[in-house]
Amino acid sequence: MKLTAKHWAWLLIGGPLLVFSIWAIADNTRLYFVTLLNGLTLAALYFIVASGFTLVFGLMRNVNLAHGSLYLLGGYVGFIVAEKTGWWILAVATGFLAAAILGLLMQVLILRHMQGQDMRQTMVTIGLSIVIADLLLWAFTAQVHQMDAPEWLHGPIRGLPLIKAYSAYRLSLLGFGVAIGIFLWWLLTRTRVGAMIRAGVDDRNMLAASGVNVNLVFAITFMLGAGLAGFGGVIGAVELSMVPGEDTRLLLASLIVVIVGGMGSVVGAALGAVILGLAETYGLAYAPTYSVVFTFVILILVLAFRPRGILGRPA
Amino acid sequence: MSASRWRRAMQGGFQQPALQLPARSQPAGSSPASAGGVETDPYAESNAPRWLKFLWRHLSARHVLIFLFLLAYPFVATPFFTFQVAAQSLVLGLIALSLTFLGGYGGIVSLAQMSVAGVAGYSIAIFGVSSTPISLGWPWWVAVLVALFIACACATVVGWLSVRTEGIYTIMITLAFGVAFYYLVLQNYSLFNGFQGFQKVYPPDVFGLNWREPVPFYFLTLFWAMAGYLAVKWLVRTPFGIALQGVRDNPRRMEALGFNIVAHRVAAYAFGGLLAAIGGVLLVWYNGLITPGSINVGWQINILVIAVLGGMRHPIGAFLGSIVFVLLQTFAIDLIDRERFNLVIGIVFLAIVLFSTDGLLGLWDKLRTRMRHQTSDSVASTQRH
């Protein structure tokens, strides 16, 4: 019986998607595939930002609502460094570091002192996000900042099948996303710290009882999560512009990715990012004024049928 | 296993978030324990109506004084203070009250309350009269009723979707709904008129009064704020309210006792939605317009800031918080740059969250107990000498 229900679900979701795909390919092949690539590259960016969010949440049950602010901070820092030195790689590194250090400070100075008080921690991150956002607005004004892509990723790649040409930088986002995914997989499954993090996700108290310095693991994870937001900020700053309000957008994306994919699961974050990225870009391409509705529908469907997300487990 | 051990085991399985502790410092008589129905009623003999007896039992001098002050206020204060400060505080307080009700009594911290208010605001702009041709121009009372109904329905749906998950998840899910609604009204031009929103949405002229004048508008908001406040005060004493607080404190036990916790939570969302919807209609009338900017994430969080600032365990905290908020907003210009208001409110909010578990009211309580300790200490020491 269960199998048939599953089949029905696949049919109900997959059927309309298949019909749409066939129609869209027949209608305008290039648009369809360009949108597909756009969706996947956006998904890569979402994945990088949301994986940090989900790591922190999974381990510490801490909803870091300042995650969007960390993203924006990373972007701005990277922008300054790139402008001063002209080294894009350096900009990425400093963006990562700036957000990571701020995240570490947040964890060590404030959040550590209210462990176990989920709601209060969340309130604190809300307060921090208001303050950080306003300080950034003060320092960088409401002007739109845009970073240049590095030399070696300038211009389009030509001669691709079906879509002819595509921005090299956007394509590289996909590479970054995959690289971060592989890095996280390696970190979580092949290293000692990763084993501790996974153990902490499953049972914090047991981890502490077995002699691991949980505070250190928490600090490292928070740093990594914040750093990933900053990293996303720098590489996103080329494609999406940096302007106050982007922090909200990326926070929303992280929230939805994590809710849809399943909280605390990195694979879930990847799945959620792909779903959200595709839904957003296809929505924008085919139904511009209602594109957010697709996001709504996905959110509602997932919450109605899988309240813990597609790959979520009971806490 | 003995009964007490069993009870401890049941309670131990649930960590209560900081905000969901049972109300401990409410005015006497309104605490859940005494409302349980066993209290002796000194006025049981007299055959006055029940509500009169209720008033008699719970009214104290300070309530009367505050009420008289509120009535006299607009005749003493300047129109600016009546409209911009007092009326705005009351409207924002009413929206924050819906969150206080949900958070303080239901243990549900929903960030979507401003969006519910926004749904009501947009509905009244769409169905009622505005300067945009999209508006349908229905009579004001039909538009208001429809707006309240739609907002309530939306709140119920959001509630139904988010109560299936718990605690910390709720805040994420409601925030996601709120932000998604913001982007929807921002991007959609055919129904929500996109970035521009709706201008010139004014309260109607009824009984020959222009309700946008400061004094009538003040009394309009005062009436609804009082109505909302009293409704919350009344509702938390009803069997439903008591059960809701039980669900907040220990959902598993309530479920074992045969209460439908999902239904209680969804009903709480619906009632909170009604409060927020009334506030939303008044807010649109206050501003005279509604745009995506009035329901963006900043405002969603501001509502939370207001509720937390005042103290989430008391309905009055919402109004206290909104007065502080509006005063800061109005006079931040004098403190520092007007542009830096968010910095001020952010720092105030952080300070409150870091140093008090129950907002300004909590700080006040702490201060009072410390004073009392000090005076009793000093009395003791003088007696000793």
PDB file of all heavy atoms in Angstrom, chain B residues 208-238:
ATOM      1  N   GLY B 208     -20.971  61.642  10.837  1.00  0.00           N
ATOM      2  CA  GLY B 208     -20.578  63.030  10.622  1.00  0.00           C
ATOM      3  C   GLY B 208     -19.221  63.384  11.188  1.00  0.00           C
ATOM      4  O   GLY B 208     -18.877  64.556  11.299  1.00  0.00           O
ATOM      5  N   LEU B 209     -18.453  62.359  11.559  1.00  0.00           N
ATOM      6  CA  LEU B 209     -17.128  62.632  12.110  1.00  0.00           C
ATOM      7  C   LEU B 209     -16.072  62.210  11.102  1.00  0.00           C
ATOM      8  O   LEU B 209     -16.210  61.164  10.459  1.00  0.00           O
ATOM      9  CB  LEU B 209     -16.917  61.832  13.391  1.00  0.00           C
ATOM     10  CG  LEU B 209     -17.266  62.486  14.721  1.00  0.00           C
ATOM     11  CD1 LEU B 209     -17.055  61.492  15.842  1.00  0.00           C
ATOM     12  CD2 LEU B 209     -16.405  63.722  14.948  1.00  0.00           C
ATOM     13  N   ASN B 210     -15.022  63.008  10.989  1.00  0.00           N
ATOM     14  CA  ASN B 210     -13.888  62.576  10.192  1.00  0.00           C
ATOM     15  C   ASN B 210     -12.949  61.804  11.104  1.00  0.00           C
ATOM     16  O   ASN B 210     -12.281  62.376  11.950  1.00  0.00           O
ATOM     17  CB  ASN B 210     -13.174  63.792   9.589  1.00  0.00           C
ATOM     18  CG  ASN B 210     -11.969  63.370   8.768  1.00  0.00           C
ATOM     19  OD1 ASN B 210     -11.712  62.178   8.599  1.00  0.00           O
ATOM     20  ND2 ASN B 210     -11.234  64.339   8.260  1.00  0.00           N
ATOM     21  N   TRP B 211     -12.924  60.478  10.908  1.00  0.00           N
ATOM     22  CA  TRP B 211     -12.184  59.633  11.842  1.00  0.00           C
ATOM     23  C   TRP B 211     -10.683  59.717  11.655  1.00  0.00           C
ATOM     24  O   TRP B 211      -9.939  59.056  12.367  1.00  0.00           O
ATOM     25  CB  TRP B 211     -12.666  58.188  11.736  1.00  0.00           C
ATOM     26  CG  TRP B 211     -14.018  58.042  12.307  1.00  0.00           C
ATOM     27  CD1 TRP B 211     -15.206  58.144  11.632  1.00  0.00           C
ATOM     28  CD2 TRP B 211     -14.358  57.832  13.673  1.00  0.00           C
ATOM     29  NE1 TRP B 211     -16.246  58.003  12.487  1.00  0.00           N
ATOM     30  CE2 TRP B 211     -15.758  57.803  13.764  1.00  0.00           C
ATOM     31  CE3 TRP B 211     -13.611  57.667  14.840  1.00  0.00           C
ATOM     32  CZ2 TRP B 211     -16.434  57.625  14.956  1.00  0.00           C
ATOM     33  CZ3 TRP B 211     -14.275  57.474  16.031  1.00  0.00           C
ATOM     34  CH2 TRP B 211     -15.679  57.452  16.086  1.00  0.00           C
ATOM     35  N   ARG B 212     -10.229  60.514  10.693  1.00  0.00           N
ATOM     36  CA  ARG B 212      -8.782  60.665  10.560  1.00  0.00           C
ATOM     37  C   ARG B 212      -8.259  61.837  11.383  1.00  0.00           C
ATOM     38  O   ARG B 212      -7.059  61.992  11.546  1.00  0.00           O
ATOM     39  CB  ARG B 212      -8.411  60.850   9.086  1.00  0.00           C
ATOM     40  CG  ARG B 212      -7.007  60.420   8.804  1.00  0.00           C
ATOM     41  CD  ARG B 212      -6.683  60.448   7.355  1.00  0.00           C
ATOM     42  NE  ARG B 212      -5.304  60.847   7.128  1.00  0.00           N
ATOM     43  CZ  ARG B 212      -4.251  60.114   7.472  1.00  0.00           C
ATOM     44  NH1 ARG B 212      -4.417  58.954   8.030  1.00  0.00           N
ATOM     45  NH2 ARG B 212      -3.028  60.548   7.238  1.00  0.00           N
ATOM     46  N   GLU B 213      -9.174  62.653  11.883  1.00  0.00           N
ATOM     47  CA  GLU B 213      -8.769  63.716  12.805  1.00  0.00           C
ATOM     48  C   GLU B 213      -8.115  63.067  14.030  1.00  0.00           C
ATOM     49  O   GLU B 213      -8.519  61.978  14.452  1.00  0.00           O
ATOM     50  CB  GLU B 213     -10.001  64.500  13.266  1.00  0.00           C
ATOM     51  CG  GLU B 213     -10.630  65.353  12.184  1.00  0.00           C
ATOM     52  CD  GLU B 213      -9.765  66.556  11.856  1.00  0.00           C
ATOM     53  OE1 GLU B 213      -9.403  67.272  12.795  1.00  0.00           O
ATOM     54  OE2 GLU B 213      -9.446  66.744  10.673  1.00  0.00           O
ATOM     55  N   PRO B 214      -7.104  63.725  14.606  1.00  0.00           N
ATOM     56  CA  PRO B 214      -6.373  63.087  15.713  1.00  0.00           C
ATOM     57  C   PRO B 214      -7.264  62.562  16.842  1.00  0.00           C
ATOM     58  O   PRO B 214      -7.133  61.405  17.235  1.00  0.00           O
ATOM     59  CB  PRO B 214      -5.460  64.206  16.216  1.00  0.00           C
ATOM     60  CG  PRO B 214      -5.228  65.042  15.032  1.00  0.00           C
ATOM     61  CD  PRO B 214      -6.481  64.994  14.208  1.00  0.00           C
ATOM     62  N   VAL B 215      -8.195  63.404  17.349  1.00  0.00           N
ATOM     63  CA  VAL B 215      -8.936  62.971  18.542  1.00  0.00           C
ATOM     64  C   VAL B 215      -9.878  61.795  18.249  1.00  0.00           C
ATOM     65  O   VAL B 215      -9.834  60.777  18.951  1.00  0.00           O
ATOM     66  CB  VAL B 215      -9.674  64.156  19.187  1.00  0.00           C
ATOM     67  CG1 VAL B 215     -10.528  63.680  20.349  1.00  0.00           C
ATOM     68  CG2 VAL B 215      -8.678  65.204  19.659  1.00  0.00           C
ATOM     69  N   PRO B 216     -10.726  61.873  17.194  1.00  0.00           N
ATOM     70  CA  PRO B 216     -11.558  60.694  16.917  1.00  0.00           C
ATOM     71  C   PRO B 216     -10.731  59.447  16.643  1.00  0.00           C
ATOM     72  O   PRO B 216     -11.059  58.357  17.123  1.00  0.00           O
ATOM     73  CB  PRO B 216     -12.349  61.091  15.667  1.00  0.00           C
ATOM     74  CG  PRO B 216     -12.332  62.564  15.659  1.00  0.00           C
ATOM     75  CD  PRO B 216     -11.048  62.982  16.293  1.00  0.00           C
ATOM     76  N   PHE B 217      -9.619  59.601  15.895  1.00  0.00           N
ATOM     77  CA  PHE B 217      -8.817  58.420  15.577  1.00  0.00           C
ATOM     78  C   PHE B 217      -8.193  57.843  16.845  1.00  0.00           C
ATOM     79  O   PHE B 217      -8.107  56.632  17.011  1.00  0.00           O
ATOM     80  CB  PHE B 217      -7.728  58.755  14.558  1.00  0.00           C
ATOM     81  CG  PHE B 217      -7.029  57.536  14.028  1.00  0.00           C
ATOM     82  CD1 PHE B 217      -7.670  56.715  13.106  1.00  0.00           C
ATOM     83  CD2 PHE B 217      -5.772  57.170  14.462  1.00  0.00           C
ATOM     84  CE1 PHE B 217      -7.057  55.581  12.631  1.00  0.00           C
ATOM     85  CE2 PHE B 217      -5.148  56.031  13.995  1.00  0.00           C
ATOM     86  CZ  PHE B 217      -5.793  55.240  13.072  1.00  0.00           C
ATOM     87  N   TYR B 218      -7.797  58.738  17.742  1.00  0.00           N
ATOM     88  CA  TYR B 218      -7.240  58.267  19.022  1.00  0.00           C
ATOM     89  C   TYR B 218      -8.264  57.415  19.751  1.00  0.00           C
ATOM     90  O   TYR B 218      -7.946  56.323  20.250  1.00  0.00           O
ATOM     91  CB  TYR B 218      -6.829  59.461  19.878  1.00  0.00           C
ATOM     92  CG  TYR B 218      -6.473  59.087  21.292  1.00  0.00           C
ATOM     93  CD1 TYR B 218      -5.234  58.549  21.593  1.00  0.00           C
ATOM     94  CD2 TYR B 218      -7.391  59.249  22.322  1.00  0.00           C
ATOM     95  CE1 TYR B 218      -4.906  58.196  22.882  1.00  0.00           C
ATOM     96  CE2 TYR B 218      -7.075  58.894  23.620  1.00  0.00           C
ATOM     97  CZ  TYR B 218      -5.833  58.366  23.892  1.00  0.00           C
ATOM     98  OH  TYR B 218      -5.517  57.998  25.165  1.00  0.00           O
ATOM     99  N   PHE B 219      -9.514  57.903  19.803  1.00  0.00           N
ATOM    100  CA  PHE B 219     -10.527  57.140  20.546  1.00  0.00           C
ATOM    101  C   PHE B 219     -10.875  55.840  19.832  1.00  0.00           C
ATOM    102  O   PHE B 219     -11.155  54.827  20.477  1.00  0.00           O
ATOM    103  CB  PHE B 219     -11.769  57.992  20.792  1.00  0.00           C
ATOM    104  CG  PHE B 219     -11.590  58.907  21.968  1.00  0.00           C
ATOM    105  CD1 PHE B 219     -11.489  60.273  21.792  1.00  0.00           C
ATOM    106  CD2 PHE B 219     -11.482  58.386  23.249  1.00  0.00           C
ATOM    107  CE1 PHE B 219     -11.291  61.106  22.878  1.00  0.00           C
ATOM    108  CE2 PHE B 219     -11.286  59.213  24.338  1.00  0.00           C
ATOM    109  CZ  PHE B 219     -11.191  60.577  24.155  1.00  0.00           C
ATOM    110  N   LEU B 220     -10.839  55.873  18.492  1.00  0.00           N
ATOM    111  CA  LEU B 220     -11.073  54.637  17.739  1.00  0.00           C
ATOM    112  C   LEU B 220     -10.021  53.592  18.110  1.00  0.00           C
ATOM    113  O   LEU B 220     -10.346  52.436  18.433  1.00  0.00           O
ATOM    114  CB  LEU B 220     -11.022  54.939  16.237  1.00  0.00           C
ATOM    115  CG  LEU B 220     -11.278  53.767  15.304  1.00  0.00           C
ATOM    116  CD1 LEU B 220     -12.725  53.339  15.378  1.00  0.00           C
ATOM    117  CD2 LEU B 220     -10.912  54.134  13.870  1.00  0.00           C
ATOM    118  N   THR B 221      -8.738  54.007  18.074  1.00  0.00           N
ATOM    119  CA  THR B 221      -7.682  53.051  18.399  1.00  0.00           C
ATOM    120  C   THR B 221      -7.750  52.648  19.860  1.00  0.00           C
ATOM    121  O   THR B 221      -7.533  51.483  20.201  1.00  0.00           O
ATOM    122  CB  THR B 221      -6.297  53.643  18.103  1.00  0.00           C
ATOM    123  OG1 THR B 221      -6.171  54.876  18.788  1.00  0.00           O
ATOM    124  CG2 THR B 221      -6.081  53.846  16.640  1.00  0.00           C
ATOM    125  N   LEU B 222      -8.073  53.619  20.730  1.00  0.00           N
ATOM    126  CA  LEU B 222      -8.164  53.292  22.153  1.00  0.00           C
ATOM    127  C   LEU B 222      -9.234  52.234  22.395  1.00  0.00           C
ATOM    128  O   LEU B 222      -9.037  51.272  23.138  1.00  0.00           O
ATOM    129  CB  LEU B 222      -8.477  54.547  22.965  1.00  0.00           C
ATOM    130  CG  LEU B 222      -8.562  54.332  24.475  1.00  0.00           C
ATOM    131  CD1 LEU B 222      -7.217  53.904  25.030  1.00  0.00           C
ATOM    132  CD2 LEU B 222      -9.039  55.595  25.178  1.00  0.00           C
ATOM    133  N   PHE B 223     -10.380  52.421  21.709  1.00  0.00           N
ATOM    134  CA  PHE B 223     -11.464  51.463  21.886  1.00  0.00           C
ATOM    135  C   PHE B 223     -11.008  50.061  21.497  1.00  0.00           C
ATOM    136  O   PHE B 223     -11.196  49.095  22.252  1.00  0.00           O
ATOM    137  CB  PHE B 223     -12.675  51.866  21.035  1.00  0.00           C
ATOM    138  CG  PHE B 223     -13.762  50.834  21.039  1.00  0.00           C
ATOM    139  CD1 PHE B 223     -14.598  50.698  22.133  1.00  0.00           C
ATOM    140  CD2 PHE B 223     -13.934  49.975  19.960  1.00  0.00           C
ATOM    141  CE1 PHE B 223     -15.589  49.740  22.146  1.00  0.00           C
ATOM    142  CE2 PHE B 223     -14.911  49.010  19.968  1.00  0.00           C
ATOM    143  CZ  PHE B 223     -15.748  48.894  21.056  1.00  0.00           C
ATOM    144  N   TRP B 224     -10.391  49.948  20.322  1.00  0.00           N
ATOM    145  CA  TRP B 224     -10.027  48.606  19.866  1.00  0.00           C
ATOM    146  C   TRP B 224      -8.873  48.025  20.665  1.00  0.00           C
ATOM    147  O   TRP B 224      -8.815  46.821  20.897  1.00  0.00           O
ATOM    148  CB  TRP B 224      -9.713  48.613  18.370  1.00  0.00           C
ATOM    149  CG  TRP B 224     -10.978  48.698  17.593  1.00  0.00           C
ATOM    150  CD1 TRP B 224     -11.432  49.772  16.880  1.00  0.00           C
ATOM    151  CD2 TRP B 224     -11.998  47.698  17.501  1.00  0.00           C
ATOM    152  NE1 TRP B 224     -12.661  49.501  16.351  1.00  0.00           N
ATOM    153  CE2 TRP B 224     -13.037  48.236  16.704  1.00  0.00           C
ATOM    154  CE3 TRP B 224     -12.143  46.406  18.006  1.00  0.00           C
ATOM    155  CZ2 TRP B 224     -14.199  47.526  16.405  1.00  0.00           C
ATOM    156  CZ3 TRP B 224     -13.294  45.699  17.712  1.00  0.00           C
ATOM    157  CH2 TRP B 224     -14.300  46.260  16.923  1.00  0.00           C
ATOM    158  N   ALA B 225      -7.947  48.890  21.084  1.00  0.00           N
ATOM    159  CA  ALA B 225      -6.841  48.393  21.904  1.00  0.00           C
ATOM    160  C   ALA B 225      -7.375  47.858  23.233  1.00  0.00           C
ATOM    161  O   ALA B 225      -6.994  46.766  23.682  1.00  0.00           O
ATOM    162  CB  ALA B 225      -5.822  49.502  22.147  1.00  0.00           C
ATOM    163  N   MET B 226      -8.311  48.629  23.844  1.00  0.00           N
ATOM    164  CA  MET B 226      -8.903  48.169  25.107  1.00  0.00           C
ATOM    165  C   MET B 226      -9.679  46.885  24.888  1.00  0.00           C
ATOM    166  O   MET B 226      -9.612  45.949  25.703  1.00  0.00           O
ATOM    167  CB  MET B 226      -9.838  49.239  25.681  1.00  0.00           C
ATOM    168  CG  MET B 226      -9.140  50.498  26.105  1.00  0.00           C
ATOM    169  SD  MET B 226      -8.861  50.591  27.862  1.00  0.00           S
ATOM    170  CE  MET B 226     -10.461  50.326  28.520  1.00  0.00           C
ATOM    171  N   ALA B 227     -10.442  46.872  23.791  1.00  0.00           N
ATOM    172  CA  ALA B 227     -11.239  45.678  23.505  1.00  0.00           C
ATOM    173  C   ALA B 227     -10.327  44.465  23.360  1.00  0.00           C
ATOM    174  O   ALA B 227     -10.600  43.393  23.923  1.00  0.00           O
ATOM    175  CB  ALA B 227     -12.063  45.890  22.238  1.00  0.00           C
ATOM    176  N   GLY B 228      -9.220  44.636  22.622  1.00  0.00           N
ATOM    177  CA  GLY B 228      -8.287  43.534  22.424  1.00  0.00           C
ATOM    178  C   GLY B 228      -7.670  43.096  23.743  1.00  0.00           C
ATOM    179  O   GLY B 228      -7.586  41.904  24.050  1.00  0.00           O
ATOM    180  N   TYR B 229      -7.260  44.098  24.533  1.00  0.00           N
ATOM    181  CA  TYR B 229      -6.613  43.801  25.810  1.00  0.00           C
ATOM    182  C   TYR B 229      -7.565  43.033  26.727  1.00  0.00           C
ATOM    183  O   TYR B 229      -7.205  41.995  27.296  1.00  0.00           O
ATOM    184  CB  TYR B 229      -6.185  45.117  26.455  1.00  0.00           C
ATOM    185  CG  TYR B 229      -5.639  44.978  27.842  1.00  0.00           C
ATOM    186  CD1 TYR B 229      -4.378  44.442  28.049  1.00  0.00           C
ATOM    187  CD2 TYR B 229      -6.380  45.379  28.943  1.00  0.00           C
ATOM    188  CE1 TYR B 229      -3.873  44.311  29.320  1.00  0.00           C
ATOM    189  CE2 TYR B 229      -5.880  45.247  30.228  1.00  0.00           C
ATOM    190  CZ  TYR B 229      -4.623  44.707  30.407  1.00  0.00           C
ATOM    191  OH  TYR B 229      -4.132  44.560  31.663  1.00  0.00           O
ATOM    192  N   LEU B 230      -8.804  43.538  26.826  1.00  0.00           N
ATOM    193  CA  LEU B 230      -9.766  42.873  27.709  1.00  0.00           C
ATOM    194  C   LEU B 230     -10.131  41.493  27.169  1.00  0.00           C
ATOM    195  O   LEU B 230     -10.319  40.553  27.944  1.00  0.00           O
ATOM    196  CB  LEU B 230     -11.016  43.740  27.866  1.00  0.00           C
ATOM    197  CG  LEU B 230     -10.756  45.049  28.624  1.00  0.00           C
ATOM    198  CD1 LEU B 230     -12.011  45.901  28.657  1.00  0.00           C
ATOM    199  CD2 LEU B 230     -10.272  44.763  30.033  1.00  0.00           C
ATOM    200  N   ALA B 231     -10.217  41.390  25.837  1.00  0.00           N
ATOM    201  CA  ALA B 231     -10.542  40.091  25.251  1.00  0.00           C
ATOM    202  C   ALA B 231      -9.473  39.069  25.610  1.00  0.00           C
ATOM    203  O   ALA B 231      -9.789  37.924  25.967  1.00  0.00           O
ATOM    204  CB  ALA B 231     -10.679  40.211  23.737  1.00  0.00           C
ATOM    205  N   VAL B 232      -8.203  39.481  25.521  1.00  0.00           N
ATOM    206  CA  VAL B 232      -7.126  38.554  25.880  1.00  0.00           C
ATOM    207  C   VAL B 232      -7.224  38.193  27.356  1.00  0.00           C
ATOM    208  O   VAL B 232      -7.154  37.024  27.736  1.00  0.00           O
ATOM    209  CB  VAL B 232      -5.744  39.174  25.561  1.00  0.00           C
ATOM    210  CG1 VAL B 232      -4.634  38.343  26.162  1.00  0.00           C
ATOM    211  CG2 VAL B 232      -5.557  39.279  24.066  1.00  0.00           C
ATOM    212  N   LYS B 233      -7.419  39.221  28.194  1.00  0.00           N
ATOM    213  CA  LYS B 233      -7.530  38.986  29.636  1.00  0.00           C
ATOM    214  C   LYS B 233      -8.663  38.012  29.954  1.00  0.00           C
ATOM    215  O   LYS B 233      -8.542  37.159  30.837  1.00  0.00           O
ATOM    216  CB  LYS B 233      -7.802  40.314  30.348  1.00  0.00           C
ATOM    217  CG  LYS B 233      -6.554  41.115  30.623  1.00  0.00           C
ATOM    218  CD  LYS B 233      -5.823  40.535  31.805  1.00  0.00           C
ATOM    219  CE  LYS B 233      -4.784  41.495  32.342  1.00  0.00           C
ATOM    220  NZ  LYS B 233      -3.914  40.834  33.306  1.00  0.00           N
ATOM    221  N   TRP B 234      -9.777  38.186  29.210  1.00  0.00           N
ATOM    222  CA  TRP B 234     -10.926  37.318  29.457  1.00  0.00           C
ATOM    223  C   TRP B 234     -10.648  35.919  28.931  1.00  0.00           C
ATOM    224  O   TRP B 234     -10.900  34.919  29.600  1.00  0.00           O
ATOM    225  CB  TRP B 234     -12.167  37.918  28.773  1.00  0.00           C
ATOM    226  CG  TRP B 234     -13.317  36.966  28.709  1.00  0.00           C
ATOM    227  CD1 TRP B 234     -14.138  36.615  29.736  1.00  0.00           C
ATOM    228  CD2 TRP B 234     -13.755  36.236  27.574  1.00  0.00           C
ATOM    229  NE1 TRP B 234     -15.059  35.706  29.310  1.00  0.00           N
ATOM    230  CE2 TRP B 234     -14.851  35.461  27.983  1.00  0.00           C
ATOM    231  CE3 TRP B 234     -13.326  36.162  26.245  1.00  0.00           C
ATOM    232  CZ2 TRP B 234     -15.526  34.624  27.110  1.00  0.00           C
ATOM    233  CZ3 TRP B 234     -13.995  35.330  25.365  1.00  0.00           C
ATOM    234  CH2 TRP B 234     -15.083  34.569  25.808  1.00  0.00           C
ATOM    235  N   LEU B 235     -10.081  35.860  27.703  1.00  0.00           N
ATOM    236  CA  LEU B 235      -9.926  34.568  27.043  1.00  0.00           C
ATOM    237  C   LEU B 235      -8.982  33.650  27.815  1.00  0.00           C
ATOM    238  O   LEU B 235      -9.204  32.445  27.874  1.00  0.00           O
ATOM    239  CB  LEU B 235      -9.407  34.775  25.614  1.00  0.00           C
ATOM    240  CG  LEU B 235      -9.499  33.545  24.733  1.00  0.00           C
ATOM    241  CD1 LEU B 235     -10.946  33.217  24.431  1.00  0.00           C
ATOM    242  CD2 LEU B 235      -8.739  33.752  23.432  1.00  0.00           C
ATOM    243  N   VAL B 236      -7.925  34.228  28.405  1.00  0.00           N
ATOM    244  CA  VAL B 236      -6.977  33.343  29.093  1.00  0.00           C
ATOM    245  C   VAL B 236      -7.559  32.788  30.386  1.00  0.00           C
ATOM    246  O   VAL B 236      -6.950  31.937  31.025  1.00  0.00           O
ATOM    247  CB  VAL B 236      -5.634  34.055  29.384  1.00  0.00           C
ATOM    248  CG1 VAL B 236      -4.974  34.450  28.095  1.00  0.00           C
ATOM    249  CG2 VAL B 236      -5.820  35.247  30.282  1.00  0.00           C
ATOM    250  N   ARG B 237      -8.738  33.270  30.791  1.00  0.00           N
ATOM    251  CA  ARG B 237      -9.382  32.713  31.987  1.00  0.00           C
ATOM    252  C   ARG B 237     -10.470  31.702  31.643  1.00  0.00           C
ATOM    253  O   ARG B 237     -10.984  31.033  32.521  1.00  0.00           O
ATOM    254  CB  ARG B 237      -9.981  33.834  32.824  1.00  0.00           C
ATOM    255  CG  ARG B 237      -8.946  34.762  33.428  1.00  0.00           C
ATOM    256  CD  ARG B 237      -9.620  35.954  34.053  1.00  0.00           C
ATOM    257  NE  ARG B 237     -10.691  35.553  34.957  1.00  0.00           N
ATOM    258  CZ  ARG B 237     -10.499  35.215  36.219  1.00  0.00           C
ATOM    259  NH1 ARG B 237      -9.290  35.242  36.718  1.00  0.00           N
ATOM    260  NH2 ARG B 237     -11.505  34.868  36.978  1.00  0.00           N
ATOM    261  N   THR B 238     -10.830  31.649  30.373  1.00  0.00           N
ATOM    262  CA  THR B 238     -11.836  30.671  29.968  1.00  0.00           C
ATOM    263  C   THR B 238     -11.216  29.277  29.954  1.00  0.00           C
ATOM    264  O   THR B 238      -9.990  29.153  29.966  1.00  0.00           O
ATOM    265  CB  THR B 238     -12.357  30.987  28.557  1.00  0.00           C
ATOM    266  OG1 THR B 238     -11.228  30.975  27.678  1.00  0.00           O
ATOM    267  CG2 THR B 238     -13.036  32.341  28.496  1.00  0.00           C
TER     268      THR B 238
END
